[in-house]
Amino acid sequence: MMAFAVKAVVLSATTACVLALTIVLTADHVSTAGDVASQETDSAAHVTMARRGMQIFLIFTEWNQRRETQFSDCMTTMHERMAHEGHYLHFHVIVDTTTTPIALQTVHKLWCCGDGQVNVSLYDLKDVQTVVQPYQNVLQQHFTDMEAPYYNKTVFFVEAVLHKLLPKTVDRIATFDIDIKFNASVAALYEHFNHFSPSNILGLAYEQQPTYLHFAEQYRALNPESLIGSPPPLGKPGLNSGVMLIDLARLRRSDIYNRMLEPEHLKQLVEKYSFQSCLGDQDFYTLLSFDFPELFYVLPCSWNRQLCRWFETEDSFDAYHRCDGDIFIYHGNCNSTLPDF
């Protein structure tokens, strides 16, 4: 049976230091908080495992019963699909005081027994805000609606700057909203990193509704031949950030991406497309994909099957929403009901 060991580490970020509580679940090694002599060796081993294993990022804050159930279902279905595959996993989870105990209990209950090794780093939201805030201020100007400020929170901008938050030993990561259920192993999703072209830095599935067709109305009125907002396979329907693969090493080196986090450059791109939206960092990726498609790998719809049907009364809905074949991840966006399995 795996043992539960805890030690605190400081992860250096670009603009601040974020204190992360790291939980180690391993069948063959137990470290203790006071085991100072072994920390240097443990650190070196951690770097090696971080580069060969799978890094997974989630956000679990602002407790309510629905969010607790979502987090539990997300983690449970993930565990069921890969518990005995023998992988090294490192979860990076942003939490606050209302969710920290539940996150620890959930991880311990699911992952305390089995093959492989599981690490969990918990990041306090208050510390994360220190790193994210300067970039959040830039992005908020264009990708939130002050009259409906739900997407105005830090948690909706964190993933856009994960390369500023996480240590450089983390070079690839898969990120997930918690309103999802897994019907396949994360390892199979991770294989899509092998399909990235040399220029790809992020992998996302298309938005499966005509969301950005509406947000691009002003631009399309002036450019009636444009495919911005049109459905696949020929159109540019926008991207959905509920499931992402991020090559953090490439992201840190990308002049284009990091330049677009600067106010003047982002403003120029927003004005070029008369872009008006309010969905946080997802809008940022979508906007970038219009001008810089080479940065993006398009995940198959089966890896982010979005269940929201907000626009289902529109004639074009099926052209966006169609997704044939087996489904590997279900995404209950818009508070949609996830299937039982």
Side-chain angles (χ1 to χ4, degrees), residues 19-35:
L19 181 65
L21 179 67
T22 299
I23 312 302
V24 182
L25 300 173
T26 174
D28 55 6
H29 174 74
V30 178
S31 62
T32 67
D35 190 8

Side-chain angles (χ1 to χ4, degrees), residues 11 42-56 88-92 117 119 121 167-173 190 248:
L11 304 180
D42 289 348
S43 177
H46 170 74
V47 170
T48 300
M49 288 187 292
R51 287 174 174 159
R52 76 167 186 244
M54 286 181 286
Q55 310 282 329
I56 297 170
Y88 166 78
L89 301 176
H90 191 149
F91 292 98
H92 303 263
Q117 178 172 326
N119 285 12
S121 293
K168 290 184 178 180
T169 53
V170 183
D171 55 8
R172 287 179 171 180
I173 198 162
Y190 236 75
L248 291 168

Side-chain angles (χ1 to χ4, degrees), residues 4 59 73 139 142 151 154 182 196 201 214 224 234 258 272 328:
F4 207 45
I59 299 173
D73 288 348
L139 298 172
H142 307 291
Y151 286 98
T154 297
F182 291 85
F196 276 32
I201 59 176
H214 292 279
L234 299 179
N258 289 291
K272 175 180 177 178
F328 304 128

Side-chain angles (χ1 to χ4, degrees), residues 2-250:
M2 289 189 178
F4 207 45
V6 180
K7 57 183 177 180
V9 296
V10 175
L11 304 180
S12 296
T14 301
T15 57
C17 287
V18 179
L19 181 65
L21 179 67
T22 299
I23 312 302
V24 182
L25 300 173
T26 174
D28 55 6
H29 174 74
V30 178
S31 62
T32 67
D35 190 8
V36 178
S38 70
Q39 286 186 4
E40 184 175 348
T41 302
D42 289 348
S43 177
H46 170 74
V47 170
T48 300
M49 288 187 292
R51 287 174 174 159
R52 76 167 186 244
M54 286 181 286
Q55 310 282 329
I56 297 170
F57 177 83
L58 304 116
I59 299 173
F60 178 36
T61 57
E62 297 185 357
W63 180 91
N64 59 42
Q65 188 57 59
R66 179 181 178 84
R67 291 185 63 76
E68 179 176 343
T69 300
Q70 288 176 330
F71 183 74
S72 177
D73 288 348
C74 173
M75 294 292 282
T76 298
T77 55
M78 184 192 303
H79 174 263
E80 289 172 349
R81 300 302 181 270
M82 61 189 311
H84 303 293
E85 293 180 348
H87 297 294
Y88 166 78
L89 301 176
H90 191 149
F91 292 98
H92 303 263
V93 187
I94 292 180
V95 292
D96 59 22
T97 55
T98 70
T99 59
T100 298
I102 299 164
L104 291 175
Q105 291 166 11
T106 301
V107 171
H108 182 256
K109 181 178 79 171
L110 293 172
W111 299 94
C112 68
C113 306
D115 301 326
Q117 178 172 326
V118 176
N119 285 12
V120 184
S121 293
L122 301 181
Y123 303 79
D124 188 275
L125 179 60
K126 291 182 180 179
D127 295 326
V128 170
Q129 287 171 329
T130 303
V131 179
V132 176
Q133 194 66 54
Y135 306 98
Q136 179 180 342
N137 292 341
V138 174
L139 298 172
Q140 275 180 331
Q141 296 178 41
H142 307 291
F143 307 131
T144 57
D145 182 350
M146 298 310 296
E147 295 181 2
Y150 177 75
Y151 286 98
N152 212 20
K153 302 172 183 177
T154 297
V155 294
F156 294 110
F157 297 95
V158 170
E159 290 172 353
V161 291
L162 274 185
H163 60 306
K164 307 288 187 181
L165 177 67
L166 298 181
K168 290 184 178 180
T169 53
V170 183
D171 55 8
R172 287 179 171 180
I173 198 162
T175 74
F176 303 101
D177 288 356
I178 63 170
D179 57 345
I180 67 172
K181 284 186 175 181
F182 291 85
N183 200 30
S185 172
V186 173
L189 174 64
Y190 236 75
E191 283 297 314
H192 281 270
F193 274 121
N194 296 327
H195 301 305
F196 276 32
S197 74
S199 65
N200 293 157
I201 59 176
L202 298 108
L204 301 88
Y206 284 136
E207 175 73 5
Q208 292 166 17
Q209 294 194 100
T211 305
Y212 291 103
L213 179 66
H214 292 279
F215 289 148
E217 281 181 353
Q218 186 175 346
Y219 178 79
R220 287 173 63 98
L222 298 173
N223 302 272
E225 302 302 316
S226 174
L227 294 175
I228 298 295
S230 294
L234 299 179
K236 297 182 177 181
L239 302 168
N240 184 280
S241 61
V243 176
M244 290 197 296
L245 296 178
I246 307 177
D247 190 315
L248 291 168
R250 292 183 183 179

